[in-house]
Amino acid sequence: MAKILGNFHLALGIGIVLLILAMFGLHGDQLGDGSYQWPQFLRYLHVIAGVLWIGLLYYFNFVQIPTMPKVPAELKPGIIRHIAPAALFWFRWAALVTVILGLAVGEMQQGGYTVRALTLEEGYRTIGIGMWLGLIMAANVWFIIWPNQKRALGIVAAEDDVKARSAATAMMASRTNLILSIPMLYCMIAQGHIGG
């Protein structure tokens, strides 16, 4: 069992096989006759990407940022050179995929609502606010957090004072995303359960 669960790619592959089995076991007739609701599957992928994105946002804000001052100096290079860049890779691409899939979900619904949501039209205001918050957060990831983290982590050469300022800027943008994620998640969930 340790060989299976110790291998990330194998564990992920098993999860995907179980997903396919669940899809065919629960909705095989719909998949067979072409009536399967693919927009709902796209929503599922949107949620998976969002869980990865926001999960990493929460990891940075609840774990890594508060813990780094307590980490012994000799251990910090391991985090800075290996853990943080890997986490930031998944963080930024999950943000992009979440946004793309979210916009696609809105368009694939009957009547497509993305533009109505983004213009905060009546009935779509709640999801629209959630979409705007998500777009702002994704822009923070790509245009503020990532460029500053590249300097702070030494991925891009920078002077020590620039690295320090970049780390502070990235942290503030990350904290901004933490703050925005709370109402964003509420809006994403409330639209379907409370209304627009």
Side-chain angles (χ1 to χ4, degrees), residues 32-185:
D33 68 15
S35 66
Y36 185 77
Q37 298 296 312
W38 287 106
Q40 297 310 315
F41 184 73
L42 203 61
R43 183 184 312 271
Y44 163 77
L45 295 176
H46 170 64
V47 169
I48 290 285
V51 166
L52 180 57
W53 175 21
I54 302 305
L56 285 166
L57 172 69
Y58 289 175
Y59 160 76
F60 287 129
N61 280 279
F62 285 81
V63 179
Q64 186 170 307
I65 293 169
T67 305
M68 280 302 284
K70 302 172 201 163
V71 174
E74 68 273 10
L75 298 179
K76 285 185 181 185
I79 296 166
I80 291 168
R81 290 190 192 120
H82 301 286
I83 294 172
L88 285 163
F89 172 85
W90 290 105
F91 179 65
R92 68 182 187 273
W93 288 107
L96 181 63
V97 170
T98 302
V99 166
I100 290 169
L101 289 174
L103 295 171
V105 164
E107 279 310 297
M108 289 185 70
Q109 298 301 308
Q110 187 174 1
Y113 64 77
T114 301
V115 172
R116 288 180 278 171
L118 291 172
T119 56
L120 305 178
E121 187 177 300
E122 185 65 37
Y124 299 92
R125 197 165 289 137
T126 302
I127 194 73
I129 291 169
M131 290 168 84
W132 276 112
L133 291 171
L135 288 168
I136 292 165
M137 291 170 61
N140 271 346
V141 168
W142 279 94
F143 303 120
I144 299 174
I145 296 170
W146 177 233
N148 280 286
Q149 282 289 18
K150 285 194 290 188
R151 287 187 293 274
L153 296 173
I155 296 169
V156 172
E159 299 294 323
D160 287 344
D161 61 325
V162 173
K163 285 182 178 184
R165 283 195 311 272
S166 292
T169 300
M171 188 276 294
M172 287 186 289
S174 185
R175 286 287 161 83
T176 299
N177 276 6
L178 171 67
I179 291 165
L180 296 178
S181 74
I182 296 167
M184 181 273 298
L185 289 169

